[in-house]
Amino acid sequence: AQSVSQHNHHVILSEAASLELGCNYSYGGTVNLFWYVQYPGQHLQLLLKYFSGDPLVKGIKGFEAEFIKSKFSFNLRKPSVQWSDTAEYFCAVNEGENSNSGYALNFGKGTSLLVTP
Amino acid sequence: GAVVSQHPSRVICKSGTSVKIECRSLDFQATTMFWYRQFPKQSLMLMATSNEGSKATYEQGVEKDKFLINHASLTLSTLTVTSAHPEDSSFYICSARGAGGDGYTFGSGTRLTVV
């Protein structure tokens, strides 16, 4: 069955520390990959996405992610976190040859990040 | 950017009653609407997919007679939880996608509590 796994459920970091959140997926075909962030009380917001091309994707707010096809992974990274990065982070995957696949997103369970001053 | 307005944000209802949740796309036409359910500390689980003017496609295990989805226009989709029970208490989120677009715009979610 298709699945998305996020290994870290809760992460606590001090400000300025580096962040890496793991995401692995299990899909048989071509995939599109996403990372979303959900700040407390707010809706999901897109951080970055990968459809094709350069496997190193840069997103908003200094986040980036690297697609490693051989490892079925799409880990999220940020060199230096801020207190304002405290949020829930979701990795998501859908099937498709391109950005217009239109399939629903399949989400991981999320990682709760707490950044302390 | 694209915005989806979801209402209500919170609702408490009595067991046996029905609750309607609305999602409106404010500045684009939502040809496809996805409805998700999220339990505490869990992932978003897809409930159903609806295309404007068509019947919704429900995921396995989701009761279509209990969770009624209407997508009658390109800017409005509704989810009605019929004869709600305490086990239906959850966080419901809609996600809209426009024609030819590559983005999924999420509503802010509805916290349903059935007492």
Side-chain angles (χ1 to χ4, degrees), chain A residues 80-116:
Chain A
S80 177
V81 294
Q82 300 171 310
W83 174 81
S84 57
D85 292 324
T86 294
E88 191 86 14
Y89 291 81
F90 292 93
C91 179
V93 180
N94 76 349
E95 298 176 76
E97 294 292 329
N98 55 47
S99 61
N100 290 326
S101 71
Y103 288 101
L105 296 176
N106 191 357
F107 286 86
K109 288 189 175 182
T111 298
S112 178
L113 172 66
L114 173 62
V115 180
T116 60

Side-chain angles (χ1 to χ4, degrees), chain A residues 3-116:
Chain A
S3 66
V4 181
S5 298
Q6 290 183 242
H7 317 298
N8 320 99
H9 298 298
H10 298 280
V11 174
I12 301 175
L13 294 173
S14 299
E15 275 194 317
S18 64
L19 169 73
E20 180 160 2
L21 301 182
C23 174
N24 286 87
Y25 63 93
S26 171
Y27 269 75
T30 303
V31 296
N32 304 309
L33 299 149
F34 306 77
W35 273 98
Y36 284 87
V37 61
Q38 188 174 31
Y39 298 104
Q42 296 190 27
H43 61 276
L44 285 162
Q45 298 176 38
L46 181 66
L47 276 178
L48 49 80
K49 58 191 176 187
Y50 172 81
F51 294 133
S52 62
D54 189 344
L56 184 61
V57 181
K58 294 193 182 298
I60 61 171
K61 306 189 182 194
F63 287 91
E64 66 178 31
E66 184 174 12
F67 171 50
I68 303 179
K69 189 174 181 179
S70 61
K71 294 185 178 180
F72 298 90
S73 70
F74 190 56
N75 292 355
L76 181 71
R77 299 194 292 249
K78 185 170 184 177
S80 177
V81 294
Q82 300 171 310
W83 174 81
S84 57
D85 292 324
T86 294
E88 191 86 14
Y89 291 81
F90 292 93
C91 179
V93 180
N94 76 349
E95 298 176 76
E97 294 292 329
N98 55 47
S99 61
N100 290 326
S101 71
Y103 288 101
L105 296 176
N106 191 357
F107 286 86
K109 288 189 175 182
T111 298
S112 178
L113 172 66
L114 173 62
V115 180
T116 60

Side-chain angles (χ1 to χ4, degrees), chain B residues 56-109:
Chain B
T57 301
Y58 289 80
E59 295 300 300
Q60 191 173 8
V62 178
E63 298 176 61
K64 62 180 181 180
D65 294 331
K66 180 169 187 62
F67 298 99
L68 300 178
I69 291 172
N70 184 286
H71 193 172
S73 79
L74 286 170
T75 59
L76 175 65
S77 179
T78 62
L79 166 67
T80 302
V81 183
T82 62
S83 187
H85 291 284
E87 58 265 30
D88 298 325
S89 298
S90 192
F91 193 60
Y92 294 87
I93 304 173
C94 64
S95 173
R97 182 182 169 88
D102 63 358
Y104 298 81
T105 303
F106 288 83
S108 53

Side-chain angles (χ1 to χ4, degrees), chain B residues 8 11-13 17-21 79-84 110 112 114:
Chain B
V11 58
I12 300 173
C13 71
T17 61
S18 295
V19 173
K20 180 184 283 188
I21 300 169
L79 166 67
T80 302
V81 183
T82 62
S83 187
T110 297
L112 171 63
V114 184

